[in-house]
Amino acid sequence: MASEPAWLLAARAKLGTREAPGNANNPTIMGWAKRLGTKVLGVAYNADSVPWCGVFVAACLAEDGIEAAPIAVRAKAWATWGQNIRPERVAPGAVLVFERPGGGHVGFYVGEDQAAYHVLGGNQGDRVSIMRIEKARCIARRWPAGRPVLGGPKAMTATAGIPLSRNER
């Protein structure tokens, strides 16, 4: 049995994917949006300068045959998707939704320390990365309905030099 769900392995495989600078668009990110389509995303997604954390989460889940949240491009749409998972049951692969200035952010739980969740997400520093995000900013912890939770909370001890993210973009 895998120690992490397939959708999280799909997300890890995308680490380092970056937005294209200026008016250009990264064909990889645009390909995720095209495969998902307007029915899933809720909008015609036409530029990687538009927040794409929801596109990333939906693309990774789709690789494991899991339906996205309605209007998946909106981070806060994920706050009611799937089933709720309590903080003490959260496990790698859980979908976490956060408040941030100007909107929300969504990504995958990979671990936590005392103050922060370690989140693998898209559009974090204009790329797919792992960031520390304050637990207090988390407004929802979700898990795909009908899928077994694999494991539980994962303590991260190596946080030296990893700053807390204040505004994911």
Side-chain angles (χ1 to χ4, degrees), residues 16-106:
T17 303
R18 295 184 157 280
E19 281 182 21
N23 291 331
N25 291 303
N26 181 319
T28 300
I29 296 168
M30 298 311 296
W32 301 336
K34 184 176 181 178
R35 280 189 296 283
L36 292 165
T38 57
K39 185 175 179 186
V40 171
L41 296 178
V43 298
Y45 190 88
N46 56 15
D48 69 10
S49 59
V50 174
W52 50 275
C53 59
V55 172
F56 172 75
V57 168
C60 295
L61 290 166
E63 287 188 36
D64 196 19
I66 300 169
E67 285 189 31
I71 313 176
V73 74
R74 293 186 59 234
K76 288 185 178 178
W78 292 91
T80 57
W81 167 87
Q83 62 190 33
N84 185 51
I85 187 166
R86 297 182 322 271
E88 64 273 12
R89 287 279 299 131
V90 72
V95 173
L96 304 181
V97 183
F98 298 91
E99 284 283 351
R100 73 168 180 83
H105 183 65
V106 63

Side-chain angles (χ1 to χ4, degrees), residues 6-22:
W7 65 87
L8 184 57
L9 297 175
R12 287 188 186 281
K14 295 166 182 50
L15 276 164
T17 303
R18 295 184 157 280
E19 281 182 21

